[in-house]
Amino acid sequence: MSDPRTAEFSDLLREDRTFPPPDSFRANAHVRDERIYAEAERDPEAFWAQFASELEWSTPWTQVLDWRPPHAKWFVGGTLNASVNCVDRHARSHRRNKAAIIWEGEPGDRRTLTYWDLYREVQQFANVLKKLGVSRGDRVALYLPLIPELAIAMLACARIGAVHSVVFGGFSSESLRDRINDAQAKLLVTADGGYRRGQIVPLKQMADEALQDTPSIRNVIIVQRGDRSMPVHVQEGRDHWYHRLMQDASPVCAPEAMDAEDMLYILYTSGTTGKPKGIVHTTGGYLTGTYATTKLVFDMKDEDVYWCTADIGWVTGHSYVVYGPLANGATVLMYEGAPDWPQKDRFWSMIEKYGVTIFYTAPTAIRAFMRWGVDWPAKHDLSTLRLIGSVGEPINPEAWVWYYRYIGGERCPVVDTWWQTETGAIMISPLPGITTTRPGSASRPFPGIKAEIKNERGETVPSGGGLLAITRPWPAMLRGIYGDPERYVRQYWNRWGHDVYVTGDGAKLDADGNFWLLGRVDDVLNVAGHRIGTMEVESALVDHPSVAEAAVVGKPHEIKGQAIAAFVTLKEGIFGTKAHVDELREHVARKIGAIAKPDDIIFTADLPKTRSGKIMRRLLRDIAEGKAIGDTTTLADASVMAKLKTQYENET
Ligand code: PRX
């Protein structure tokens, strides 16, 4: 196994503190009984069907699962609409005037939308989309800040059967362009800007750049979010203001009855090639998976105020800001901006201000909070919290314990949830009423999920380390890669047979059946919880006219988990200066987005290569991680390594 972090694992396993669920939590939890695991195991399809039946369907399904590895159909023959399940159902119930979304902008402005408000606005926007020619099956790109209109636009697409493709507002114009073109989106919804650390990110300006080369886009809708000081280009005939269109739109739009297997959305994620993959999720299974996991993992109740800090541009925002919690009729808090704006207690002040009961964030944020110190949370009353969660990367035990103690007040269960864009919903996690947690372990597969550790040969390892695989289909699983059916099979289902899903993660299983996630074993990095492909960054670097060759690896970073180190060979006659480093970093930001900027760029005349010319990234990783250099016998020129190591140590 090529996992660079295996050595650290012995430390993890020394982690023997255990945290049983508090009796008071257990007494009122949705799940109080361990038998849920055995019951789900006895008949997984019946287990999932039970949750599906808690949703509203227009036509019942006739078959729970049709599994022709690696292609699954869930709830065959059933029809439903995701917006009806996330909105109408609650707007028609006692939840009509319950807050669905409580939103706070970074400058401090706030808005609350009740389920009834959401019901009207989603239908209005659905009518707007229809009027602009969007119909069932069409793709709509959404490039927005974290504002309620993003959730409204997603649900409006779902209502009319259009497929949304949300592009994170931190991605560059080029990334937006490529995603629009890959999905052949017909319409783009963007905003004049969005706030980040007091600055306005000029989204429309960035979209305009992308729009120069996106022939499929017929119309653009602009949400007014900025302070109006920014000039916004409005192209006659193509661009329209959101608020103007909404004024004339009727709040009544009948939902389309969608087949359970109709596409709900595409979300692009980084893989092992230079080109991000459009992960496809469908309607019935995805909604069932996100609904069930939100209910059980977060123990969601009607009186909760739930806050997941993820941006909606990532899968966590899709599943656990929008679809999962709204399908449960929850009150969802949304915050537009940065955690340290205007000060480092913004999150804690919001928890106090809105009486948040469930809080879900990423280890990278927790490590930043640790560094900022306990005085910031101590200034606030966090006593409404009853459950806290973590997602996106392995959480180190120190961060876990800090979170438990200083945010959870030693009374809130911590749920460390492992999953991926591809899995759609949480796969490995504690169930907070019954699981005795261990800092650093995501505990057990969710009921009905079958996860195993495999060795390279595909043999299941009963305990110990290896590669994490999922060996039974699950409702929220990806259904494909948009426009590339072969890559779907090759990438995920081809290593050990078509019925074994390859996660790309390394993990260990302990004697009590707990999974300890160790990070990616492929060329995918996880930088501050953001997934970035090394090949993507390499392609961006070699796109610069001065660069001949580039190799990118991850290195451990105290706050971000991983940081990016790039080894770059410049073209003949070009010398790397400090200014050149900055230029290349900016170039990567322009090509991909600021999240992909390398931390270190090392210029070198030679990269370590095998005799056949293959760059040995493994050895570069050893350098970036400050480890002893591994086996160099296959190198064409072994002296390259010693030189590079000294250079790296001197320059970083
Ligand atoms: O390596 C795993 C890590 O994040 C990857 C998935 O990234 P993405 O598709 O962007 O989705 C992130 C949010 C679900 C995984 O392959 N990962 C996610 N959650 C955890 C994790 N690693 C360890 N522990 C977790 N709880």
Side-chain angles (χ1 to χ4, degrees):
M1 187 172 108
S2 59
D3 180 21
R5 302 198 218 183
T6 313
E8 280 167 34
F9 184 68
S10 44
D11 291 343
L12 265 186
L13 268 195
R14 256 181 253 130
E15 179 54 60
D16 53 6
R17 283 167 287 189
T18 54
F19 296 81
D23 289 340
S24 56
F25 192 99
R26 186 185 193 115
N28 296 306
H30 280 308
V31 182
R32 276 168 257 173
D33 193 330
E34 282 277 344
R35 276 178 302 191
I36 187 166
Y37 288 107
E39 274 162 29
E41 214 40 39
R42 208 159 28 244
D43 189 348
E45 290 180 29
F47 173 79
W48 292 116
Q50 176 57 40
F51 285 99
S53 69
E54 292 177 25
L55 298 172
E56 187 174 311
W57 295 76
S58 331
T59 323
W61 61 87
T62 51
Q63 187 185 350
V64 175
L65 172 65
D66 177 6
W67 178 222
R68 297 161 202 235
H71 303 285
K73 287 188 181 147
W74 283 88
F75 309 112
V76 181
T79 66
L80 77 170
N81 184 286
S83 83
V84 167
N85 277 287
C86 292
V87 185
D88 302 29
R89 215 149 69 90
H90 314 304
R92 281 191 244 109
S93 78
H94 63 283
R95 299 188 179 117
R96 174 170 298 170
N97 275 311
K98 175 177 175 175
I101 297 174
I102 302 176
W103 173 84
E104 191 170 294
E106 196 188 71
D109 43 340
R110 30 195 293 198
R111 267 168 75 193
T112 300
L113 284 102
T114 63
Y115 273 99
W116 190 253
D117 293 330
L118 200 56
Y119 179 60
R120 291 170 57 85
E121 292 204 27
V122 165
Q123 295 188 73
Q124 274 181 297
F125 196 59
N127 280 325
V128 164
L129 292 173
K130 272 182 156 172
K131 207 164 165 188
L132 291 176
V134 177
S135 51
R136 211 176 152 121
D138 287 341
R139 275 81 56 215
V140 173
L142 309 176
Y143 186 55
L144 285 163
L146 218 169
I147 53 177
E149 285 80 1
L150 177 47
I152 291 168
M154 291 163 81
L155 294 163
C157 286
R159 190 160 197 94
I160 63 171
V163 175
H164 59 72
S165 165
V166 180
V167 180
F168 170 54
F171 277 128
S172 66
S173 308
E174 285 196 28
S175 299
L176 173 63
R177 179 199 64 195
D178 293 348
R179 286 159 171 76
I180 288 175
N181 289 339
D182 188 79
Q184 288 291 291
K186 207 170 177 182
L187 183 141
L188 169 69
V189 187
T190 185
D192 49 358
Y195 288 87
R196 191 75 192 172
R197 294 207 171 82
Q199 304 281 314
I200 301 181
V201 183
L203 285 172
K204 176 60 165 67
Q205 225 169 288
M206 289 163 64
D208 281 334
E209 246 175 77
L211 287 163
Q212 288 174 8
D213 194 13
T214 52
S216 60
I217 296 282
R218 312 257 172 81
N219 290 283
V220 177
I221 299 175
I222 318 160
V223 179
Q224 197 165 56
R225 165 68 193 130
D227 65 0
R228 293 175 211 189
S229 62
M230 219 169 27
V232 175
H233 165 72
V234 179
Q235 184 172 312
E236 196 64 38
R238 184 196 68 184
D239 298 358
H240 320 265
W241 287 102
Y242 179 93
H243 56 280
R244 300 242 172 89
L245 295 169
M246 288 291 270
Q247 262 166 12
D248 308 327
S250 147
V252 181
C253 174
E256 288 281 324
M258 305 304 291
D259 189 276
E261 283 299 327
D262 275 337
M263 216 183 284
L264 178 62
Y265 69 79
I266 304 169
L267 183 61
Y268 287 83
T269 190
S270 296
T272 49
T273 69
K275 188 172 170 270
K277 305 169 278 197
I279 302 300
V280 169
H281 282 292
T282 58
T283 309
Y286 175 78
L287 215 56
T288 301
T290 53
Y291 167 76
T293 49
T294 303
K295 183 169 174 178
L296 269 46
V297 172
F298 299 115
D299 190 45
M300 190 69 82
K301 308 272 174 52
D302 233 346
E303 53 281 13
D304 279 310
V305 178
Y306 163 88
W307 184 18
C308 164
T309 66
D311 194 284
I312 294 177
W314 306 102
V315 76
T316 306
H318 281 61
S319 299
Y320 298 108
V321 176
V322 180
Y323 288 108
L326 294 180
N328 277 274
T331 293
V332 177
L333 181 64
M334 285 183 195
Y335 166 59
E336 177 190 30
D340 52 355
W341 189 268
Q343 287 196 295
K344 295 185 166 61
D345 59 349
R346 182 63 181 264
F347 278 13
W348 322 128
S349 94
M350 293 204 28
I351 289 176
E352 178 175 358
K353 186 157 145 197
Y354 297 103
V356 172
T357 59
I358 302 171
F359 180 67
Y360 190 34
T361 196
T364 188
I366 298 168
R367 290 189 295 261
F369 302 144
M370 276 174 82
R371 152 103 43 115
W372 297 340
V374 293
D375 290 349
W376 293 107
K379 281 181 19 189
H380 296 277
D381 177 3
L382 306 180
S383 63
T384 50
L385 286 175
R386 67 181 193 91
L387 174 70
I388 56 179
S390 169
V391 61
E393 22 161 356
I395 181 164
N396 44 312
E398 305 87 272
W400 194 104
V401 171
W402 188 93
Y403 192 38
Y404 174 77
R405 184 166 298 155
Y406 296 108
I407 306 305
E410 299 188 2
R411 85 187 163 269
C412 303
V414 177
V415 289
D416 171 11
T417 61
W418 177 89
W419 59 294
Q420 309 176 300
T421 306
E422 292 87 341
T423 69
I426 293 169
M427 302 292 278
I428 304 181
S429 165
L431 291 177
I434 58 174
T435 306
T436 291
T437 51
R438 281 148 225 262
S441 167
S443 306
R444 289 169 70 173
F446 189 81
I449 299 292
K450 194 161 180 211
E452 290 173 40
I453 307 288
K454 302 245 178 218
N455 62 21
E456 294 282 354
R457 290 187 300 281
E459 292 151 359
T460 298
V461 180
S463 70
L467 303 163
L468 179 67
I470 311 294
T471 53
R472 178 193 290 149
W474 65 103
M477 63 194 265
L478 77 164
R479 299 300 196 269
I481 295 176
Y482 192 75
D484 200 345
E486 276 163 41
R487 191 172 172 196
Y488 167 73
V489 180
R490 191 165 17 100
Q491 182 80 45
Y492 301 108
W493 305 93
N494 218 20
R495 189 158 180 169
W496 302 303
H498 284 352
D499 52 356
V500 179
Y501 171 82
V502 180
T503 65
D505 276 32
K508 284 220 179 192
L509 189 58
D510 70 19
D512 299 322
N514 292 301
F515 285 75
W516 301 74
L517 280 307
L518 301 172
R520 304 287 309 194
V521 294
D522 53 11
D523 291 324
V524 172
L525 305 177
N526 193 329
V527 180
H530 299 142
R531 190 164 151 179
I532 299 167
T534 52
M535 291 274 282
E536 266 176 276
V537 184
E538 288 172 7
S539 313
L541 284 167
V542 296
D543 174 80
H544 191 275
S546 70
V547 174
E549 223 172 4
V552 163
V553 297
K555 63 166 206 173
H557 186 281
E558 203 191 328
I559 306 254
K560 297 195 277 191
Q562 271 188 310
I564 301 176
F567 295 84
V568 171
T569 305
L570 296 172
K571 287 189 181 149
E572 272 303 300
I574 301 177
F575 297 97
T577 57
K578 167 80 179 67
H580 208 116
V581 169
D582 295 340
E583 186 178 326
L584 288 184
R585 296 183 74 229
E586 283 315 310
H587 186 74
V588 173
R590 258 194 317 276
K591 298 292 289 183
I592 305 175
I595 53 167
K597 277 189 193 177
D599 280 53
D600 301 333
I601 295 185
I602 304 297
F603 295 119
T604 168
D606 300 293
L607 288 167
K609 288 186 187 163
T610 60
R611 282 176 203 96
S612 58
K614 199 171 159 278
I615 298 174
M616 298 211 42
R617 288 183 182 71
R618 170 175 64 77
L619 296 175
L620 294 173
R621 211 152 37 216
D622 290 343
I623 294 184
E625 291 179 0
K627 285 195 201 152
I629 292 172
D631 183 7
T632 57
T633 47
T634 52
L635 283 186
D637 174 5
S639 71
V640 170
M641 285 307 294
K643 264 191 277 172
L644 257 186
K645 189 170 167 62
T646 316
Q647 191 189 345
Y648 189 83
E649 282 161 6
N650 291 337
E651 290 182 20
T652 59

